[in-house]
């Protein structure tokens, strides 16, 4: 990532570095074979009471890639990403139609244990939300829920989680301090460590950097680039530069509809739909 | 500057247009004064109340000087000795209406002193008013002794002689000899008390258990009680041994007597076993008095009451109050927290839940005596009566739980305070950011796991706030307790050495009721009055102490979670 790209004016069209584009995927995700699909969304519609929030969304989210969801505020990005770990179950008035398959298994199936599903599909929220516990206990929280690990293994997993989130060097000497004493960026990486520690296969990031300063944002983005080797990552962002920087595939949502879903390169350089073009070039949003 | 010529005109708009009282009102100053005065009045009222009960209550324990007063009036000449407990002026009319001679005094106001002359049963009454103008002579005799007696209050007089087995003895220093002998009877009395409260109490408790056991087996139709009878005979034999020990001690207690000369010159004999303490107030230095003062306070706190509660200490009431409040807290906390959790976390929010919430809030406003009546009708007669029928048949017709007792009192007060705990727990639950719940759920925690690991710990400061309010309300409550378990005098504490140690079925004493009893049910109003203040002050201190403990705990927890709640 070069300096040029990061300092792009929001209103100006995002120009992708041609060398960078060349190194990324350019295959349309909807032509992916089943074996490379991690999440397969089919005709997903979501209603809040009578109001429709997501309309007939179909997409294949590829395994071990970063998929970004962009779109103006209120377009349904967060609602969609919260479908993938069934966080919308918590809202009484929500009705969902259609299918979401995780590695070929329908997640709304009656047999599915929601807790197990959420262990497979980790999530990081917009505002850093560490628990009011020690740094160690935050990372160990998910582990204690699912696995009965002996103390030494638990220590190893906590260390591993913190290292995965590039936080270990900063906190190794104060694991027993309160997590609330960390800076916002550190807190967000702690939350990522917490999610990674339970070894999920998918990581959902719901605007993970929007509450952070530029330096912390950069660190989170670097972290995403590292994590995609092992995890399927879905990131919601309304920062187009960020989507362009970190993602392999991008979906553009508008008023609850998936307008276009393609490789990031295609979306940002050669979108099919006029709406996408307009949004990318900053005509609305 | 084009506008410079307009400036003077513009400035005029900022000048004060009106003057005087109208402006003063407009400025808002009166409002500041009004609000500040209201706060000031509250502070004065609270401090005044606390000051009054503290001064009146605490001064009671100070060993005042004993004055000997000669006074004369139409009925003759009198000589009394005692402590001056009150001085006041009454109007001439009141003085005349009391049947006094109008020629004796010409001023509008008549000063009179209340003298605590003690010596009840020797020289009644033990409190009397003396008009200042009738006093002929007033002096402080250095050999004037005060005796705290186990019966009939204080005695005032000078020591004439000490008798052992009815024979006078002539010690070199009667005062030291007296102290030595008082120490001896104190030890013997303690020993006798230990036997009564310890061994004899234990044996009686076991005998009662045996009786119930036998009755239970009779009800089952059994006919052979040999084992019970053997055990009973063994206990009875043990009892006889203890009783003999007690008799021996009582005989030893009877050994000494003293003779004192009271103010009017008569000689009176007091059995030494009745004397708890003796002191020479007019000879004591300030530091000796201070020592005496603190030992009096300690006696007040640590001993049982005597003389229909007008003498001695308040320990059983203190103990009962604290125990009842603690039990109440233990009962109300889980109950209130669970109810609040359901209302806030599980119940579907809607008009019905809102209705329940309003009903719960209003419950806090129901007069406490209504809870007392409910406790009596529901807990004691219905629940307690059913418990007796089911589990305590052997004791019937005497009720075990179907009668007022500690458990029912705690439960009734728990019911009285549960709305407070529910409301403040709910407030705490709403304050927890939803991000934290979601964070926990997103890691695969179930709702219950999230509740126990994240939500409840974070709500704990609010829960404790609720408990603090509950304690403040419950500790001062008297009316419902009179119906569900408090008595004037409880023979035993609710906790003792007999299994199961905590006796929830027992009646207990309570400081609040103690105040009522001392103030309004006492046979000796003058003797009881200072104790009313002292007990009230103690009750306030207890409530403050219980609250401070809970507040400290809450503040610690709050410090831990503060940042997460922002």
């Amino acid at each position: 990532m070069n300096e040029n790209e990061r300092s792009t004016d929001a209103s100006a069209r995002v120009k992708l570095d041609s060398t960078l584009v060349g190194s990324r995927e350019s295959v349309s995700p909807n032509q992916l074979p089943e074996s490379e699909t991690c999440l397969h969304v089919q005709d997903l519609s979501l209603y809040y009471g009578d109001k429709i929030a997501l309309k007939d969304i179909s997409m294949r989210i590829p395994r071990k890639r970063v998929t970004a969801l962009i779109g103006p505020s209120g377009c349904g990005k967060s609602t969609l990403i919260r479908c993938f770990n069934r966080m919308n179950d918590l809202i009484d008035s929500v009705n969902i139609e259609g299918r979401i398959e995780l590695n070929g298994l329908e997640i709304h199936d009656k047999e599915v244990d929601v807790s197990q599903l959420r262990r497979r599909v980790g999530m990081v929220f917009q505002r850093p939300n560490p628990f009011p516990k020690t740094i160690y206990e935050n990372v160990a929280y998910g582990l204690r829920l699912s696995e009965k690990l002996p103390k030494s293994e638990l220590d190893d997993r906590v260390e591993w989680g913190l290292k995965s989130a590039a936080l270990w060097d900063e906190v190794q000497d104060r694991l027993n301090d309160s997590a609330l004493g960390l800076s916002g960026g550190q807190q967000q990486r702690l939350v990522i460590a917490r999610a990674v520690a339970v070894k999920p296969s998918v990581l959902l990031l719901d605007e993970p950097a929007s509450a952070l300063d530029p330096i912390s944002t950069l660190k989170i983005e670097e972290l995403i680039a590292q994590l995609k080797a092992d995890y399927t990552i879905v990131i919601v962002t309304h920062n187009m530069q960020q989507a362009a920087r970190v993602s392999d595939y991008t979906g553009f949502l508008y008023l609850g509809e998936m307008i276009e879903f393609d490789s990031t390169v295609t979306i940002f350089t050669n979108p099919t739909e006029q709406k996408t073009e307009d949004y990318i070039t900053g005509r609305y949003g | 500057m084009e506008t410079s010529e307009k400036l003077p005109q513009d400035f005029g708009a900022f000048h004060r247009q009106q003057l005087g009282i109208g402006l003063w009102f407009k400025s808002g100053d009166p409002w500041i004064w009004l609000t500040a005065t209201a706060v000031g009045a509250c502070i004065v009222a609270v401090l005044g109340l606390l000051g009054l009960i503290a001064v009146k209550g605490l001064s009671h324990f100070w060993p005042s000087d004993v004055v000997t007063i000669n006074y004369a009036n139409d009925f003759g000449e009198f000589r009394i000795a005692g402590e001056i407990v009150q001085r006041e002026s009454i109007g001439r009319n009141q003085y005349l209406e009391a049947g006094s001679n109008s020629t004796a005094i010409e001023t509008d106001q008549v000063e009179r002193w209340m003298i605590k002359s003690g010596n009840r049963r020797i020289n009644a009454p033990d409190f009397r008013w003396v008009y200042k103008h009738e006093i002929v002579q007033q002096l402080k005799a250095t050999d004037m002794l005060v005796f705290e007696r186990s019966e009939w209050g204080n005695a005032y007089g000078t020591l004439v002689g000490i008798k052992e087995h009815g024979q006078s003895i002539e010690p070199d220093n009667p005062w030291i000899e007296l102290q030595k002998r008082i120490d001896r009877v104190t030890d013997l009395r303690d020993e006798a008390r230990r036997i009564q409260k310890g061994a004899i109490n234990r044996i009686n408790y076991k005998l009662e258990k045996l009786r119930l056991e036998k009755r239970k087996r009779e009800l089952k139709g059994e006919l052979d009680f040999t084992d019970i009878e053997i055990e009973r005979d063994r206990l009875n034999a043990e009892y006889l041994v203890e009783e003999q020990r007690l008799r021996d001690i009582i005989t030893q207690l009877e050994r000494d007597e003293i003779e004192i000369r009271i103010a009017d010159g008569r000689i009176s004999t007091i059995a030494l076993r009745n004397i708890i303490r003796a002191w020479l107030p007019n000879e004591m230095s300030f530091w000796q008095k201070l020592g005496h003062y603190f030992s009096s306070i300690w006696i007040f706190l640590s001993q049982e009451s005597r003389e229909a509660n007008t003498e001695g200490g308040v320990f059983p009431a203190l103990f009962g109050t604290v125990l009842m409040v603690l039990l109440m807290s233990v009962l109300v906390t889980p109950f209130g927290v669970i109810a609040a959790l359901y209302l806030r976390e599980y119940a579907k929010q809607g008009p019905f839940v809102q209705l329940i919430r309003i009903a719960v809030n209003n419950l806090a406003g129901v007069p406490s005596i209504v809870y007392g009546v409910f406790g009596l009708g529901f807990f004691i007669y219905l629940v307690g009566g059913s418990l007796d029928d089911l589990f305590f048949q052997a004791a019937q017709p005497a009720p075990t739980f179907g009668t007022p007792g500690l458990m029912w009192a705690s439960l009734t007060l728990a019911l009285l305070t549960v709305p407070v705990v529910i409301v403040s727990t709910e407030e705490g639950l709403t304050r927890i950011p939803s991000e934290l719940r979601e964070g926990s759920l997103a890691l695969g925690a179930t709702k219950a796991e999230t509740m126990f690991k994240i939500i409840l710990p974070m709500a704990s400061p609010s829960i404790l706030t609720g408990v603090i309010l509950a304690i403040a309300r419950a500790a001062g409550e008297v009316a419902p307790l009179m119906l569900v378990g408090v008595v004037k005098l409880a023979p035993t504490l609710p906790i003792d050495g007999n299994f199961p140690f905590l006796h929830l079925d027992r009646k207990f004493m309570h400081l609040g009721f103690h105040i009522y009893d001392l103030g309004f049910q006492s046979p000796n109003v003058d003797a009881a009055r200072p104790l009313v203040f002292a007990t009230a002050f103690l009750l306030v201190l207890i409530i403050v102490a219980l609250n401070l403990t809970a507040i400290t705990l809450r503040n610690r927890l709050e410090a831990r979670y503060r940042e997460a709640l922002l």
Side-chain angles (χ1 to χ4, degrees):
Chain A
M1 263 173 266
N2 60 30
E3 196 54 42
N4 212 355
E5 189 185 311
R6 213 173 298 124
S7 61
T8 315
D9 188 341
S11 62
R13 174 163 187 161
V14 182
K15 294 271 184 206
L16 284 177
D17 190 307
S18 58
T19 56
L20 199 67
V21 170
S23 71
R24 296 214 221 164
E25 320 280 338
S26 52
V27 190
S28 169
N30 291 329
Q31 277 124 47
L32 279 175
E34 195 65 45
S35 62
E36 283 186 34
T37 308
C38 181
L39 279 161
H40 187 186
V41 183
Q42 297 161 47
D43 304 323
L44 183 79
S45 293
L46 183 142
Y47 302 85
Y48 288 114
D50 304 334
K51 242 184 77 189
I52 189 157
L54 295 175
K55 280 179 226 163
D56 279 335
I57 289 177
S58 294
M59 63 194 290
R60 282 172 186 270
I61 293 175
R63 181 167 293 130
K64 295 192 181 174
R65 296 287 183 273
V66 178
T67 303
L69 297 174
I70 58 171
S73 295
C75 68
K77 318 182 283 281
S78 289
T79 307
L80 178 59
I81 200 176
R82 288 166 68 99
C83 285
F84 299 152
N85 65 348
R86 290 183 56 182
M87 284 306 268
N88 287 323
D89 287 13
L90 303 175
I91 306 162
D92 287 335
S93 58
V94 162
N95 267 317
I96 296 174
E97 289 166 7
R99 293 171 64 81
I100 300 173
E101 282 173 14
L102 173 64
N103 299 331
L105 288 170
E106 163 63 35
I107 65 166
H108 292 109
D109 213 89
K110 274 192 188 127
E111 309 291 309
V112 168
D113 175 352
V114 183
S115 301
Q116 291 295 342
L117 171 72
R118 288 178 187 153
R119 264 166 225 153
R120 304 282 307 284
V121 185
M123 186 164 196
V124 173
F125 299 85
Q126 181 172 355
R127 213 177 88 163
N129 59 349
F131 302 131
K133 297 170 183 276
T134 61
I135 293 169
Y136 182 94
E137 281 303 321
N138 261 280
V139 183
Y141 185 84
L143 298 170
R144 288 193 202 276
L145 289 171
S146 50
E147 303 160 62
K148 295 269 170 291
L149 294 174
K151 176 79 176 121
S152 61
E153 273 183 57
L154 191 64
D155 288 350
D156 290 346
R157 281 286 284 279
V158 169
E159 181 178 340
W160 177 81
L162 286 167
K163 279 181 176 161
S164 305
L167 191 61
W168 175 253
D169 294 339
E170 290 161 60
V171 300
Q172 58 173 320
D173 301 327
R174 46 179 178 141
L175 289 177
N176 290 319
D177 289 0
S178 169
L180 302 175
L182 297 174
S183 74
Q186 288 174 323
Q187 287 189 357
Q188 195 64 306
R189 277 181 284 144
L190 177 68
V191 173
I192 293 174
R194 190 171 75 182
V196 167
V198 293
K199 297 191 171 167
S201 51
V202 182
L203 264 182
L204 308 174
L205 310 176
D206 189 355
E207 301 190 24
S210 67
L212 304 180
D213 61 274
I215 298 204
S216 303
T217 304
L218 175 65
K219 283 194 176 162
I220 298 281
E221 286 178 10
E222 282 169 354
L223 182 57
I224 292 170
Q226 283 168 29
L227 289 172
K228 82 170 177 184
D230 300 304
Y231 305 93
T232 303
I233 294 173
V234 184
I235 176 170
V236 163
T237 176
H238 52 213
N239 178 337
M240 278 175 287
Q241 287 74 34
Q242 189 173 61
R245 282 195 298 267
V246 301
S247 67
D248 302 306
Y249 297 95
T250 300
F252 170 58
L253 277 148
Y254 182 63
L255 296 178
E257 282 180 274
M258 182 63 79
I259 305 294
E260 194 169 354
F261 179 47
D262 214 322
S263 71
T264 302
V265 181
T266 315
I267 292 281
F268 281 92
T269 54
N270 188 22
T272 323
E273 299 286 330
Q274 185 59 39
K275 277 181 184 161
T276 315
E277 169 97 29
D278 289 349
Y279 183 69
I280 303 271
T281 52
R283 272 186 217 145
Y284 61 84
Chain B
M1 297 292 264
E2 290 172 75
T3 54
S4 59
E5 46 198 83
K6 278 189 178 174
L7 267 178
Q9 216 180 329
D10 281 347
F11 268 121
F14 298 100
H15 282 153
R16 287 182 172 168
Q17 299 289 317
Q18 46 188 148
L19 290 168
I21 198 116
L23 183 75
W24 189 58
F25 266 110
K26 224 175 163 181
S27 71
D29 280 357
W31 181 239
I32 299 173
W33 279 101
L34 185 72
T35 47
T37 314
V39 172
C42 291
I43 292 173
V44 168
V46 169
L47 291 183
L49 174 77
L50 286 180
L52 177 81
I53 58 174
V55 168
K56 290 234 179 191
L58 293 176
S59 62
H60 169 65
F61 301 107
W62 187 258
S64 322
D65 287 346
V66 174
V67 289
T68 310
I69 292 174
N70 290 334
Y71 65 97
N73 57 24
D74 297 348
F75 305 103
E77 276 187 33
F78 301 92
R79 185 183 164 89
I80 58 164
E83 299 166 33
I84 302 171
V85 291
Q86 198 183 340
R87 297 168 206 251
E88 66 172 28
S89 289
I90 56 169
R92 187 182 168 81
N93 283 343
Q94 195 185 344
Y95 172 68
L96 294 177
E97 275 164 20
S100 307
N101 190 342
S102 59
T103 56
I105 184 128
E106 277 158 15
T107 49
D108 284 347
Q109 294 285 314
V110 184
E111 188 175 342
R112 62 175 187 177
W113 296 352
M114 182 183 256
I115 312 290
K116 181 182 180 183
S117 57
N119 295 347
R120 208 183 308 162
R121 272 220 133 179
I122 309 171
N123 188 19
D126 53 350
F127 284 85
R128 56 182 95 188
W129 289 107
V130 173
Y131 292 108
K132 195 186 169 199
H133 65 267
E134 291 174 357
I135 295 174
V136 180
Q137 194 197 8
Q138 174 187 348
L139 56 92
K140 285 181 185 171
T142 50
D143 59 349
M144 187 54 84
L145 271 163
V146 182
F147 299 95
E148 186 179 340
R149 296 184 294 178
S150 60
E151 287 172 337
W152 312 115
N154 286 357
Y156 299 88
T158 51
L159 187 63
V160 178
I162 301 174
K163 283 180 173 174
E164 189 177 314
H165 298 304
Q167 302 295 315
S168 286
I169 55 162
E170 305 290 338
D172 296 336
N173 186 334
W175 169 241
I176 292 189
E177 185 64 27
L178 176 66
Q179 288 296 357
K180 218 188 304 175
R181 281 163 195 259
I182 288 177
D183 289 346
R184 175 179 164 272
V185 294
T186 307
D187 291 344
L188 286 170
R189 241 191 335 250
D190 288 349
E191 180 65 22
R193 210 181 102 82
R194 257 198 300 280
I195 294 170
Q196 273 172 330
K197 295 271 171 186
I200 290 184
N201 181 7
R202 196 183 63 241
I203 294 166
N204 279 335
Y205 188 80
K206 282 185 182 160
L207 280 170
E208 175 64 13
K209 280 262 140 105
L210 274 185
R211 187 185 72 78
L212 292 177
E213 176 69 22
K214 186 180 173 199
R215 177 83 186 119
K216 201 185 269 175
R217 280 160 60 171
E218 269 174 12
L219 289 172
K220 276 188 197 157
E222 282 181 41
L223 295 170
D224 179 30
F225 304 115
T226 343
D227 52 334
I228 288 188
E229 272 152 20
I230 290 170
E231 179 66 12
R232 192 178 59 197
D233 292 344
R234 194 185 63 75
L235 284 171
N236 276 331
E238 219 178 291
Y239 183 85
L240 285 178
V241 174
E242 295 298 333
E243 196 188 21
Q244 190 51 50
R245 274 179 67 201
L246 194 58
R247 273 178 209 284
D248 291 347
I249 289 170
I250 290 169
T251 319
Q252 288 181 54
L253 270 170
E254 303 282 357
R255 190 189 74 177
D256 296 338
E257 282 173 337
I258 53 165
E259 286 177 329
I260 60 165
R261 176 176 288 122
I262 62 174
D264 62 6
R266 277 185 289 161
I267 305 260
S268 173
T269 308
I270 307 173
L272 203 64
R273 70 177 159 88
N274 283 335
I275 289 176
I276 292 165
R277 290 190 298 173
W279 64 96
L280 285 160
N282 299 350
E283 266 210 328
M284 283 160 96
S285 68
F286 174 78
W287 296 110
Q288 283 172 318
K289 284 195 173 187
L290 201 67
H292 182 94
Y293 178 73
F294 284 113
S295 83
S296 298
I297 289 181
W298 175 242
I299 285 174
F300 177 71
L301 292 177
S302 64
Q303 292 203 346
E304 290 174 17
S305 61
R306 307 187 305 266
E307 304 277 298
N309 294 346
T310 58
E311 301 281 341
V314 291
F315 179 70
L318 178 63
F319 188 84
T321 308
V322 174
L323 183 66
M324 191 271 298
V325 168
L326 291 181
L327 267 178
M328 186 277 311
S329 313
V330 167
L331 290 170
V332 77
T333 313
F335 198 40
V337 169
I338 288 168
L341 277 179
Y342 182 76
L343 281 178
R344 188 53 67 184
E345 301 287 322
Y346 288 118
K348 196 176 170 181
Q349 303 300 315
F352 186 63
V353 166
Q354 199 54 34
L355 196 72
I356 291 177
R357 208 166 271 144
I358 292 170
V360 165
N361 284 338
N362 282 330
L363 269 184
V366 173
S368 57
I369 190 76
V370 176
Y371 284 97
V373 176
F374 176 79
L376 183 67
F378 180 75
F379 288 137
I380 296 175
Y381 292 151
L382 192 71
V383 180
S386 312
L387 281 179
D388 280 358
D389 287 344
L390 289 171
F391 304 110
F392 301 97
Q393 268 178 327
Q396 282 184 337
T400 309
F401 278 102
T403 177
L406 179 62
M407 179 161 79
W408 303 132
S410 306
L411 257 179
T412 305
L413 285 193
L415 197 67
L416 177 91
T417 51
V418 80
V420 185
V421 179
I422 292 180
V423 168
S424 72
T425 306
E426 268 209 83
E427 266 166 28
L429 292 175
T430 17
R431 265 170 63 202
I432 297 169
S434 58
E435 286 104 331
L436 285 177
R437 291 162 209 261
E438 290 184 340
S440 171
L441 292 169
L443 284 169
T446 62
K447 205 163 179 179
E449 283 168 331
T450 306
M451 198 127 77
F452 285 113
K453 294 187 171 198
I454 306 288
I455 294 181
L456 272 182
M458 288 191 69
S460 56
S462 306
I463 295 172
L464 272 170
T465 306
V467 175
I468 291 164
L469 294 171
I471 286 174
R473 171 118 202 244
E477 202 60 77
V478 181
L481 294 178
M482 290 159 74
L483 301 180
V484 292
V486 159
V487 286
K488 177 190 174 81
L489 196 66
T492 42
L493 291 176
I495 290 184
D496 64 16
N498 299 318
F499 183 82
F501 311 118
L502 173 62
H503 303 277
L504 292 170
D505 54 325
R506 285 192 188 161
K507 294 180 179 58
F508 64 104
M509 291 171 74
H510 185 272
L511 285 172
F513 184 72
H514 203 74
I515 294 170
Y516 168 73
D517 182 60
L518 282 170
F520 303 98
Q521 309 285 298
S522 164
N524 191 338
V525 181
D526 290 318
R529 188 179 296 125
L531 289 176
V532 172
F533 288 108
T535 312
F537 188 61
L538 179 63
L539 180 56
V540 171
L541 285 187
I542 292 295
I543 295 174
V544 169
L546 285 169
N547 271 324
L548 278 182
T549 318
I551 288 171
T552 317
L553 195 61
R554 180 195 55 188
N555 289 351
R556 281 213 190 137
L557 287 169
E558 210 154 49
R560 192 186 302 168
Y561 298 117
R562 188 172 300 131
E563 285 171 73
L565 288 169
L566 290 177

